[in-house]
Amino acid sequence: MDQVIDVYLDVLESKRKRFPNNFFIGAEGKAYMSYITSYLLEKHLSIPLHKIPLQVTADTLWSHRLRPPAMIYGWNYYEVIDNAYPGKFKPWDFRQVPHKYWKGKEGKNRAIQAVKYMIEKELNIPLHELPLQINSHFFKEYKLGGVFDLFGQSPFLVMDAAYPGLFKPWQFANVPMNCWKNQSYIQEAMDDFLFNQLHFLSYEEAFLKIKSQHFNDGRLTGLFQMAFANQMSNVKDWIKQQGMQKAN
C-alpha cells in the first residue's frame, strides 16, 4: 500500500494533476480509498480516531483531493469515512450530517432508526421511562437536532413515529402546540391523572382532594396553565361537570 500513498501524496502536493485512470475502480479501488482516507486522517492530519466525528467535515476530505474519487461512487463525505472505518461511526456522530440526510421519506425512516438505535442500543432506556427522558436536551446531547427539527421539535411526535400509538402527547414535558386546546386530550390526561396517578376512586373524591401541587408533582403544569388558566376553580368546575355527566 506504500505505492498507493505515494500516488496520493503526489496528487496532494500537485506533482500529479489527478489520480491515474481506473485507480479507484472495483473492490481494489475501494480498498485504496479506504487506505488513503485513514492515512489522511490519522497520519497526515494526526486526528485521533475518537476525535474524527468532532474534527472532520466534508471540507476536510474535499480540500485534500478526495472529492473526485468519492464522486466515482456517488459517496458523500460520511460514506467515504464509513468505507475506511466500516460501522465505526454513525452519521449523526458528526458535527455536519450529510446533506439532505434527514430529508424525504428515506430521511424520515433514517431519523426513526437513529432515535431507536440511541434509545435501545446505546442507552437502553426502558420504554416506560421515555416520556421522562426524551426532551429537547436529549436531542441536543446525542446530536439528533436534525431529527428534532424534522418533527417540529416535539418529543411526542418523534416518539409516536418511532413507537406508534404507545404514548399520548400529554405524557411529555413539552407537549405539541395546541395540545391543551383539544378536549379529548384534556379528558384523557385528566382521567389518567386523577385515577391512575393520584388513585382517586371517583370524580367526587377528586373534587374534594385535588390541589394545584398535584399538577406540579405530576409534571402537568402545562395542562393546569393552558386548559384551566392556572385556576383551581376551573379544575373543580371541570371535575364537577364530569361527575354530573357520569351520573346522567
Side-chain angles (χ1 to χ4, degrees):
M1 286 291 185
D2 288 345
Q3 291 179 329
V4 174
I5 297 305
D6 288 341
V7 170
Y8 175 54
L9 289 175
D10 285 348
V11 172
L12 197 59
E13 296 167 7
S14 299
K15 293 178 181 178
R16 287 175 177 264
K17 289 185 177 180
R18 57 184 178 82
F19 290 99
N21 291 336
N22 302 321
F23 191 72
F24 293 104
I25 298 301
E28 186 176 48
K30 289 183 178 180
Y32 289 172
M33 187 65 166
S34 171
Y35 193 65
I36 287 172
T37 303
S38 59
Y39 170 83
L40 168 66
L41 300 181
E42 297 181 53
K43 304 295 184 183
H44 189 77
L45 298 177
S46 300
I47 300 174
L49 193 62
H50 70 280
K51 289 189 177 181
I52 285 176
L54 296 175
Q55 297 187 16
V56 177
T57 64
D59 187 62
T60 308
L61 304 184
W62 304 160
S63 65
H64 289 87
R65 306 294 296 276
L66 292 188
R67 187 164 200 167
M71 290 175 66
I72 293 173
Y73 299 104
W75 286 345
N76 57 47
Y77 88 97
Y78 167 74
E79 290 167 321
V80 173
I81 295 171
D82 193 52
N83 177 63
Y85 307 97
K88 178 69 176 176
F89 307 109
K90 299 295 181 185
W92 56 89
D93 289 335
F94 292 80
R95 291 187 296 116
Q96 176 188 20
V97 177
H99 184 55
K100 295 184 178 180
Y101 188 76
W102 304 122
K103 301 295 184 181
K105 184 177 180 180
E106 186 178 1
K108 190 172 184 178
N109 288 335
R110 287 193 188 115
I112 291 169
Q113 293 308 311
V115 169
K116 293 183 74 170
Y117 175 87
M118 187 61 64
I119 289 170
E120 298 174 13
K121 304 297 183 182
E122 292 290 322
L123 302 175
N124 296 311
I125 302 175
L127 291 182
H128 70 274
E129 291 186 11
L130 293 184
L132 294 174
Q133 298 198 35
I134 304 303
N135 49 38
S136 59
H137 178 71
F138 168 87
F139 294 96
K140 182 177 181 180
E141 181 175 358
Y142 297 109
K143 304 175 185 176
L144 292 171
V147 176
F148 199 37
D149 292 341
L150 181 63
F151 289 91
Q153 297 192 341
S154 166
F156 164 72
L157 292 179
V158 180
M159 291 298 96
D160 194 51
Y163 305 99
L166 194 59
F167 303 105
K168 299 293 184 181
W170 40 265
Q171 292 178 297
F172 293 82
N174 303 109
V175 300
M177 186 177 296
N178 297 326
C179 176
W180 298 129
K181 293 182 180 180
N182 185 313
Q183 292 301 314
S184 63
Y185 283 156
I186 294 173
Q187 179 80 56
E188 287 185 65
M190 283 295 291
D191 283 349
D192 180 77
F193 179 49
L194 297 176
F195 304 124
N196 294 331
Q197 293 188 49
L198 298 179
H199 305 292
F200 295 139
L201 299 178
S202 65
Y203 284 117
E204 289 76 12
E205 182 183 4
F207 181 87
L208 295 172
K209 295 183 178 179
I210 188 72
K211 298 178 181 178
S212 60
Q213 186 61 39
H214 287 140
F215 288 92
N216 294 331
D217 295 342
R219 299 172 64 249
L220 286 171
T221 54
L223 170 62
F224 186 45
Q225 293 168 359
M226 302 302 295
F228 300 109
N230 269 340
Q231 298 296 319
M232 281 304 298
S233 59
N234 292 336
V235 174
K236 292 203 169 192
D237 285 345
W238 184 91
I239 294 173
K240 184 177 180 179
Q241 185 177 14
Q242 303 310 306
M244 291 172 62
Q245 289 177 359
K246 185 176 180 182
N248 294 332

